[in-house]
């Protein structure tokens, strides 16, 4: 089955928008099975504990690896509003998720967030992290970058309280 990457990525954008309504940063991710079924939707989980590791992709990888084994996950795709950082790419690798589709790049995110204390962006492409591993992971992106960037309008303008 051919997945509709743009429609599914926009669904991840909707999850990112929902994260804002819960007081979190605008990041969202969904996991889709090979048949196109959405298996998980996860938004950023920074608040309420200010957990700097609660990125949507890392949280999704943890949930997915608890539910399914790597052979199943190898046929799944994660759609994420922004390119997985090095931490998240590592988590996706260890979970065994086989395909990544993302909106904006880490470099573009760094340009938006600057030196904001709540997002000290790691400017390391996920493709480089995956290339160091022993599993093949397909990466598609950046895609719909302007829409992905728009999720962050005005978010990083104020310093960390």
């Amino acid at each position: 089955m051919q997945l509709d990457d743009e429609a599914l990525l926009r669904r991840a954008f909707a999850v990112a928008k929902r994260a804002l309504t819960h007081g979190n940063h605008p990041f969202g991710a969904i996991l889709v099975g090979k048949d196109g079924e959405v298996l998980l939707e996860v938004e950023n989980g920074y608040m309420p504990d200010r957990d700097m590791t609660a990125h949507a992709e890392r949280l999704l990888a943890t949930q997915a690896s608890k539910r399914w084994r790597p052979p199943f996950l190898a046929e799944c795709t994660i759609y994420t509003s922004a390119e997985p950082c090095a931490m998240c790419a590592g988590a996706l690798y260890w979970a065994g998720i086989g395909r990544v589709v993302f909106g904006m790049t880490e470099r573009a995110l760094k340009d938006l967030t600057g030196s904001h204390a709540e997002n000290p962006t790691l400017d390391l492409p996920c493709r480089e992290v995956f290339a160091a591993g022993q599993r093949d992971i397909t990466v598609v992106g950046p895609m719909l970058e302007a829409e992905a960037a728009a999720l962050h309008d005005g978010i990083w303008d104020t310093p960390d309280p």
Side-chain angles (χ1 to χ4, degrees):
M1 172 182 197
Q2 180 70 27
L3 298 176
D4 184 344
D5 286 342
E6 286 190 4
L8 290 163
L9 187 56
R10 285 187 173 112
R11 184 157 174 181
F13 293 170
V15 175
K17 288 177 189 173
R18 190 173 68 221
L20 279 172
T21 68
H22 296 131
N24 283 300
H25 301 130
F27 298 100
I30 64 171
L31 183 70
V32 177
K34 68 178 181 178
D35 61 354
E37 177 186 3
V38 176
L39 304 171
L40 291 173
E41 288 189 351
V42 181
E43 56 191 64
N44 180 275
Y46 175 70
M47 293 302 280
D49 301 323
R50 294 184 178 264
D51 182 353
M52 295 292 283
T53 68
H55 296 186
E57 303 90 345
R58 205 268 310 150
L59 295 171
L60 184 143
T62 298
Q63 289 180 31
S65 70
K66 288 179 179 181
R67 292 185 188 179
W68 299 285
R69 303 305 333 135
F72 175 81
L73 291 172
E75 297 183 333
C76 292
T77 300
I78 181 174
Y79 291 86
T80 180
S81 56
E83 180 175 12
C85 72
M87 173 187 70
C88 292
L92 297 171
Y93 171 83
W94 283 106
I97 295 169
R99 186 168 179 261
V100 175
V101 178
F102 68 86
M104 66 187 306
T105 65
E106 269 291 272
R107 174 150 298 152
L109 180 63
K110 183 179 179 185
D111 290 343
L112 281 176
T113 62
S115 60
H116 198 284
E118 291 179 3
N119 196 36
T121 304
L122 287 166
D123 188 1
L124 178 65
C126 68
R127 286 176 173 91
E128 290 184 31
V129 176
F130 297 143
Q134 298 176 29
R135 288 189 176 128
D136 289 329
I137 298 175
T138 301
V139 179
V140 177
M143 178 182 254
L144 305 174
E145 273 191 291
E147 290 178 47
L151 296 167
H152 299 268
D153 286 348
I155 301 301
W156 307 104
D157 295 342
T158 57
D160 183 19

